[in-house]
Amino acid sequence: MIIEPRMRGFICLTAHPKGCEQNVKNQIEYVKSKGKINGPKRVLVIGASTGFGLASRITSAFGSDASTIGVFFEKPPMEGKTASPGWYNSAAFEQEAQKAGLYAKSINGDAFSNEVKQQTIDMIKADLGQVDLIIYSLASPVRVHPVTGVMHRSVLKPIGTTFTNKTVDFHTGNVSQVSIEPANQEDIDNTVVVMGGEDWSMWMDAMKDAGVLADGVTTVAYSYIGPEVTEPVYRKGTIGRAKDHLESTAFEITDKLKDINGKGYVSVNKALVTQASSAIPVIPLYISLLYKIMKAEGIHEGCIEQIQRLFQQRLYNGSEIPTDDKGRIRIDDWEMRADVQAQVSKLWEESTTESLVEIGDLAGYKQDFLNLFGFGFEGVDYLADTDEMVQVSSIA
Ligand SMILES: NC(=O)c1ccc[n+]([C@@H]2O[C@H](COP(=O)([O-])OP(=O)(O)OC[C@H]3O[C@@H](n4cnc5c(N)ncnc54)[C@H](O)[C@@H]3O)[C@@H](O)[C@H]2O)c1
């Protein structure tokens, strides 16, 4: 079939298998171009199919020759209906890993469930014995709690007072005011249940009990802080509470792993266009201004540049892992540079529908958004008849 982007709000309903393959290949080439990392050899990535998780899997495999198991929740294709991009990304990743002689298997299912945890443990036992690194990179709007069976929904709301600020519809470039009503306690609790650290902790407990964690194991989950302007809806909002919980869970995990010399970390990453971040009001406007500044300064990074740097310069730098005063790894250092933030704040004040075209990088935002779904890549013939029924080879 001929596959074109079909946008609906914050999502694109179609994905291009060849474009997703090109995206994965580009990321692999980038990692290879940065040389070998003296890193982990057996890696589990939870949330491995898109965004930071996919970049983590690619960096582990092609930077450090690691065997990887990837867990994700993606839609396979049906005749005449494309799969979700993470499916095609994973198909391409496995194909490239195979070509390079690297072990790669995937599990498609709900990572919050006991069943998927058990399936993963069984796969580690059978194929790898143990794992040295676990990356926890889930971004999900819902979680069915494995003990109570209750479905919790996360929300993106401020806490305490209504938040009013600018936002942009990145499809049209229209800058408008948005007001978001504050969350109630139930909203906060639900968001913490979905995006906090409980599930990460459950994964680590289950794997430790099963004996599949290697001595000296490391686990890393991803967090975000960001600027003052997004604080009410992000870091001081419901999602921020979940990130606080995730960050404190890292210490609990380190405590529980003491006897096997293991460590839990949170890495604070940069704001980037992903499926998860496009849905948060105010963030797309901030990102389009940030991109403009960081590109002009020559310090712009995408997921793969961020994670390659995280592995090479933080996690596996040959000495101690540098952290901030709260024990967090910071790879958002360039985003948070005072000069970068000062410029973004100034542009924020100036941004209107008319001015954004000039002062922001809306084109870059749109391009990244299209890229998420496999569109807009050089070297892909989008007019060619394309087979949508691409399979992830390890998933029968
Ligand atoms: N995008 C940003 O700007 C940004 C910045 C800093 C930190 N982060 C954090 O990085 C992490 C990953 O976010 P992302 O932006 O890469 O998101 P993403 O949407 O690109 O990826 C989410 C991944 O989780 C998987 N997933 C979702 N629900 C699942 C489920 N129930 N079972 C199994 N897999 C499931 C998806 O398949 C996918 O692999 C999140 O914790 C996010 O808060 C994001």
Side-chain angles (χ1 to χ4, degrees), residues 298-325:
I299 51 171
H300 176 71
E301 294 176 303
C303 287
I304 196 66
E305 289 86 357
Q306 276 269 290
I307 298 300
Q308 198 283 334
R309 192 158 67 93
L310 170 67
F311 275 54
Q312 197 163 54
Q313 297 184 19
R314 303 287 194 271
L315 292 173
Y316 302 101
N317 64 7
S319 65
E320 218 174 292
I321 298 175
T323 56
D324 67 10
D325 57 355

Side-chain angles (χ1 to χ4, degrees), residues 112 136 138 140 143 154 188-202 221-222 238-250 253 266:
F112 296 126
Y136 188 84
L138 291 185
S140 173
R143 174 181 175 212
S154 70
I188 300 171
D189 295 344
N190 279 327
T191 308
V192 173
V193 172
V194 180
M195 288 297 287
E198 189 192 26
D199 181 62
W200 183 25
S201 202
M202 283 176 158
Y222 296 143
T238 49
I239 182 74
R241 289 290 173 88
K243 291 301 186 192
D244 290 343
H245 188 269
L246 187 78
E247 289 173 15
S248 64
T249 303
I253 289 176
V266 155

